[in-house]
Amino acid sequence: VPSNVTEREDGWMAFRIQGVLDFSMIGILSEISGILAENKIGIFVISTYNTDYVLTKKENYQRVLDQTIEQLTKEGKVPMLLLHSCCAPCSSYVLEYLSKYFKITLLYYNPNISLKEEYEARVREQKRLIGEMDFVHPVQFMEGKYLPEEFYRAVKGHEEDKEGGERCFICYEQRLREGAIVAKAGGFDYFTTTLSISPLKNAQKLNEIGIRLGEEYGVPYLKSDFKKKNGYKRSVELSAQHHLYRQNYCGCVFSKREAELREQQSKEQ
């Protein structure tokens, strides 16, 4: 942004309509804007001589979380939160942060993790961390079923996707859906996940999926982006304090394969 700009507004994202749009092509922008309007998404459009750019406001999920917590505090409420956790290191900061404002039940449901020994090691670390940390409000532990075949069935056809692509989005939804189901059955006030604390996880997509599932199951998704406010940095500090096992891959066999390839390439350089 030029230094002489007197006012600016951040937090926009844009997409370009691919290809050249001739003036004889009618209704394309109308169709796109109509779909976005149905989903209550405001837009700002820039048209050029051969195509269009559609800008939408990117929501600041940490700011939304701050506002939610502020309102709950004013009302003197301590809601019940179902928190899906991917691993002990990622949950460390989230538990420290949210236990000040919520009564948390941590759901450990991760059918993507391979192998079983790895899964069991991560479960032990998660239980140990909860036992060692001090919380303002109580934190309970709940272990989901470990059914890796459900993960492989869900991502079939996406085995060669790069990490961070469509396979990961399917995995996000599988775990968040279980969180929503458990939250509804248990009468929780909110559900959310620790996944957004990772710099490698797509917070925008996680929140989109969570919000949609919250509407489907009737349990509000607690919007969040835990990597903000130095959340990831704090999780690294807490992991060191508690001597937590920090894995070098997300959990699935595909992410492990990519991690091993990166390590091998690093050695060869």
Side-chain angles (χ1 to χ4, degrees), residues 1-12:
V1 178
S3 59
N4 62 343
V5 169
T6 58
E7 189 175 343
R8 59 182 282 182
E9 185 178 284
D10 297 323
W12 289 87

Side-chain angles (χ1 to χ4, degrees), residues 8-269:
R8 59 182 282 182
E9 185 178 284
D10 297 323
W12 289 87
M13 57 183 177
F15 61 90
R16 175 181 180 272
I17 299 174
Q18 189 171 3
V20 177
L21 303 182
D22 188 85
F23 279 109
S24 63
M25 301 174 69
I26 300 170
I28 294 176
L29 187 57
S30 175
E31 185 74 18
I32 293 171
S33 62
I35 293 170
L36 294 172
E38 288 174 6
N39 288 275
K40 300 180 180 179
I41 299 173
I43 64 171
F44 176 71
V45 178
I46 299 174
S47 296
T48 68
Y49 71 97
N50 64 354
T51 192
D52 295 307
Y53 297 85
V54 179
L55 289 82
T56 64
K57 193 69 174 172
K58 185 177 180 181
E59 190 166 10
N60 186 322
Y61 294 110
Q62 179 59 51
R63 185 178 301 155
V64 174
L65 177 57
D66 289 340
Q67 293 168 349
T68 300
I69 289 173
E70 182 181 359
Q71 186 61 36
L72 291 171
T73 303
K74 284 182 180 179
E75 296 173 359
K77 295 180 178 178
V78 183
M80 293 171 57
L81 171 67
L82 192 286
L83 173 66
H84 164 265
S85 173
C86 54
C87 63
C90 287
S91 73
S92 57
Y93 163 73
V94 181
L95 288 172
E96 179 186 63
Y97 175 31
L98 293 185
S99 65
K100 300 172 186 175
Y101 311 104
F102 297 88
K103 296 175 183 176
I104 298 174
T105 294
L106 184 144
L107 172 66
Y108 195 87
Y109 171 74
N110 298 291
N112 57 308
I113 295 176
S114 178
L115 298 164
K116 186 177 181 181
E117 293 78 9
E118 177 72 19
Y119 171 85
E120 291 173 344
R122 297 191 190 192
V123 171
R124 287 194 298 271
E125 285 294 87
Q126 185 69 79
K127 289 180 177 179
R128 181 171 70 83
L129 178 65
I130 293 174
E132 290 182 3
M133 289 187 72
D134 295 320
F135 304 113
V136 175
H137 297 292
V139 174
Q140 306 296 326
F141 176 81
M142 178 188 298
E143 184 178 356
K145 293 181 179 178
Y146 178 56
L147 300 171
E149 62 272 15
E150 292 187 356
F151 167 73
Y152 290 115
R153 189 182 305 118
V155 301
K156 187 176 181 180
H158 293 273
E159 292 86 353
E160 300 304 318
D161 290 1
K162 292 290 185 181
E163 188 169 1
E166 187 63 28
R167 185 185 65 239
C168 292
F169 299 161
I170 294 169
C171 184
Y172 293 173
E173 178 154 353
Q174 184 179 47
R175 291 185 278 177
L176 283 172
R177 183 174 294 278
E178 182 68 12
I181 291 170
V182 173
K184 181 177 182 179
F188 287 84
D189 300 299
Y190 296 93
F191 78 104
T192 195
T193 179
T194 64
L195 284 165
S196 69
I197 199 169
S198 169
L200 300 177
K201 297 294 183 288
N202 188 324
Q204 180 77 24
K205 197 70 177 179
L206 284 164
N207 280 277
E208 288 175 4
I209 294 170
I211 292 165
R212 173 167 51 80
L213 291 173
E215 292 173 352
E216 181 179 339
Y217 288 94
V219 183
Y221 182 77
L222 188 67
K223 298 177 184 179
S224 49
D225 187 357
F226 294 118
K227 69 177 67 67
K228 302 293 186 180
K229 297 174 73 172
N230 289 319
Y232 177 71
K233 179 182 177 182
R234 178 59 179 159
S235 75
V236 173
E237 294 171 353
L238 286 167
S239 296
Q241 289 177 22
H242 292 275
H243 306 288
L244 294 177
Y245 161 58
R246 291 184 65 86
Q247 60 280 356
N248 66 346
Y249 68 105
C250 178
C252 72
V253 66
F254 310 111
S255 63
K256 183 178 183 181
R257 181 179 64 196
E258 287 194 31
E260 290 173 345
L261 180 60
R262 287 194 299 269
E263 185 177 352
Q264 181 181 343
Q265 291 173 341
S266 177
K267 290 179 179 178
E268 291 175 353
Q269 289 177 355

